[in-house]
């Protein structure tokens, strides 16, 4: 592992929705909704807008959920609403993924919680690193035309608002290590094992 690749996600915090800027053309106040989904890697909080899935939050216990909802209310400028499109689709697709029955997500994505370099890297990841494959931080930097930015790629992975669906767990270190992960290294191992990249845990 090179110095530029050493745990590049370790110090990266998830992008705070309250500090992000919406995509151009979106009004500040937007309709959104949320649900919590039980999965083999723990509860996930899913937040969607009328455009698509906007955020996936790992380890969504009650305190984490309260903090996430507070940030989302501030970012979207409104309280959550019932019957927002895409929530059922996102929950159904993630359930199928964790059951081993889905390899490509079709739920629309709302990219408004990321921007700039991070958004470019995450879009390249979503479009170019399929189920069951991995990519190095440096390789991903090369793909977006920024060969000196392996560490910045790690920070982009750490700020990913759409983990699992935008598969930052598939970004690994060049020496064969699995690298960092904001959902925790055990969660990353579970996701890679599910996709056949790592052996399944013995227990």
């Amino acid at each position: 592992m090179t110095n530029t690749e050493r745990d590049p996600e370790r110090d990266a915090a998830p992008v705070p929705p309250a500090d992000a800027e919406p995509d151009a053309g979106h009004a500040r106040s937007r309709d959104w909704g949320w649900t919590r989904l039980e999965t083999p890697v723990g509860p996930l909080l899913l937040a969607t807008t009328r455009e698509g899935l906007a955020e996936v939050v790992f380890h969504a216990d009650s305190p984490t959920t309260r903090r996430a909802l507070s940030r989302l209310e501030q970012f979207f400028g409104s309280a959550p609403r019932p019957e927002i499109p895409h929530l059922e689709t996102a929950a159904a697709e993630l359930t199928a993924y964790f059951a081993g029955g889905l390899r490509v997500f079709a739920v629309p994505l709302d990219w408004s919680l990321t921007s700039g370099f991070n958004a470019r890297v995450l879009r390249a990841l979503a479009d170019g690193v399929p189920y069951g494959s991995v990519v190095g931080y440096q390789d991903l930097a090369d793909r977006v035309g920024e060969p000196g930015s392996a560490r910045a790629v790690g920070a982009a992975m750490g700020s990913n608002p759409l983990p699992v669906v935008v598969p930052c767990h598939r970004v690994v270190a060049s020496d064969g290590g699995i690298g960092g992960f904001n959902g925790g290294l055990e969660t990353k191992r579970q996701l890679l094992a599910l996709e056949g990249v790592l052996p399944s845990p013995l227990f």
Side-chain angles (χ1 to χ4, degrees), residues 57-96:
V57 178
F58 282 117
H59 313 305
D61 57 12
S62 293
T64 299
T65 296
R66 285 195 299 270
R67 289 192 296 269
L69 295 180
S70 177
R71 294 194 306 268
L72 287 163
E73 283 195 24
Q74 185 175 352
F75 178 77
F76 289 124
S78 65
R81 299 176 181 271
E83 299 181 2
I84 293 295
H86 310 303
L87 268 178
E88 287 187 10
T89 300
E93 289 192 354
L94 281 161
T95 297

Side-chain angles (χ1 to χ4, degrees), residues 35 37 46-49 51-53 56 83-97 102 104-109 165:
T35 192
L37 179 69
L46 312 179
T48 68
T49 66
E51 284 72 28
L53 181 65
V56 177
E83 299 181 2
I84 293 295
H86 310 303
L87 268 178
E88 287 187 10
T89 300
E93 289 192 354
L94 281 161
T95 297
Y97 167 82
L102 183 141
V104 179
F105 291 97
V107 63
L109 302 181
V165 179

